[in-house]
Amino acid sequence: MVPGARLIVLGKQGAGKGTQCVRLSRRYVLPHISTGDMLRAAVKARTPLGLEARRYLDAGDLIPDSVVLAMIAARLDQDDTRTRGFLLDGFPRTVAQADGLDEILKPFSIDLVLDLVVPTGLVLARLMSRRVCEDCGAIYSTSAPPKFNWTCDFCGGDVVQREDDTEEAIKNRLAQYDYATAPLIARYATLGKLVEVSGEGSPSEVAGNLNAVVDAYQHGGRFFPPTPREHS
Ligand code: ADP
């Protein structure tokens, strides 16, 4: 059995977090927790959270920390994340969220933070050409479309441009990243948990870079044992 782990993947919008987290999640059997996907699912299902989140998502603004933290606290309390750990994608995005995560995880903590590094020019180009499956979230681009007529290869859903992948919302999200999220890089570096990984190259090349880092940690026996449920 592969040991579990508590991992964060950081990186600008378009750095490839979503694509790489799907691969990492399969390889290391870790639940993939994407706050963006959870919020978009809530919007689609018109839950109270979704109705509140919609205007932030459309503008490319951050959802209030308290809302995101409540959502994450509930998710990290489920059996799969307690026993296997997790791969956080798109969270934490602010210092307050990182503080909140530390509280949620006590007495444990994050094992490793992978920072996917990609130049801004490249992420802009990737975001403008990105297309996603409305149903399962699979990621395509105008240069690597699904095989048949913008229908998802995996689930048959419609493959579309995300509503917040407009030039204006993308610029807003990248500015938010520099302002609110980039300080987390120094935070985790100081804790000795940060590893920078190049996000340039094909998805398989980048996956190879990430796997090498995670494998090295696993072989060093540095990942955590599963967390027992307090009352079971
Ligand atoms: P991207 O990284 O390209 O912006 P995501 O799917 O990660 O895409 O997030 C989409 C949107 O969801 C963000 O612009 C923001 O409105 C909201 N969101 C996702 N994660 C968070 C978070 N941790 N804190 C606040 N808002 C979030």
Side-chain angles (χ1 to χ4, degrees):
M1 177 79 162
V2 189
R6 298 185 182 91
L7 306 185
I8 295 174
V9 179
L10 283 180
K12 289 188 187 106
Q13 292 75 6
K17 297 189 296 293
T19 303
Q20 295 302 329
C21 282
V22 169
R23 290 173 181 237
L24 284 168
S25 154
R26 284 199 200 119
R27 182 178 163 102
Y28 297 100
V29 202
L30 297 175
H32 173 195
I33 301 178
S34 157
T35 42
D37 285 350
M38 290 167 85
L39 290 163
R40 278 186 291 277
V43 169
K44 204 170 171 193
R46 298 178 159 273
T47 64
L49 168 66
L51 295 175
E52 186 184 349
R54 174 151 208 161
R55 63 193 164 97
Y56 295 99
L57 281 161
D58 285 350
D61 288 335
L62 293 179
I63 311 292
D65 290 328
S66 57
V67 175
V68 179
L69 277 165
M71 188 175 87
I72 283 288
R75 183 64 188 86
L76 296 189
D77 195 38
Q78 289 175 10
D79 283 338
D80 61 341
T81 49
R82 282 181 165 268
T83 52
R84 291 296 310 154
F86 48 77
L87 195 52
L88 289 174
D89 164 6
F91 175 92
R93 250 182 229 228
T94 64
V95 170
Q97 290 181 14
D99 289 342
L101 177 63
D102 287 350
E103 284 300 314
I104 291 169
L105 292 182
K106 268 183 183 166
F108 304 99
S109 62
I110 288 294
D111 294 305
L112 185 62
V113 179
L114 299 159
D115 182 22
L116 263 185
V117 184
V118 176
T120 303
L122 181 58
V123 298
L124 267 176
R126 283 185 182 172
L127 290 170
M128 296 301 290
S129 65
R130 173 162 77 180
R131 301 292 182 269
V132 294
C133 172
E134 272 188 325
D135 290 340
C136 74
I139 300 168
Y140 300 89
S141 76
T142 48
S143 54
K147 291 191 187 72
F148 181 68
N149 199 23
W150 297 104
T151 301
C152 181
D153 293 340
F154 303 102
C155 76
D158 285 340
V159 174
V160 298
Q161 183 163 31
R162 246 169 62 175
E163 284 181 23
D164 61 348
D165 277 347
T166 60
E167 196 167 349
E168 198 183 345
I170 289 171
K171 288 199 173 133
N172 187 22
R173 274 149 57 215
L174 287 170
Q176 303 258 14
Y177 186 86
D178 286 339
Y179 169 75
T181 312
L184 299 181
I185 294 169
R187 175 191 183 110
Y188 291 117
T190 306
L191 292 170
K193 305 215 161 175
L194 188 89
V195 180
E196 291 192 346
V197 179
S198 170
E200 289 188 75
S202 71
S204 299
E205 283 163 352
V206 177
N209 300 339
L210 287 166
N211 294 343
V213 172
V214 178
D215 284 350
Y217 262 68
Q218 280 198 333
H219 294 147
R222 289 161 82 176
F223 283 156
F224 78 112
T227 315
R229 265 209 175 269
E230 276 156 34
H231 305 294
S232 62

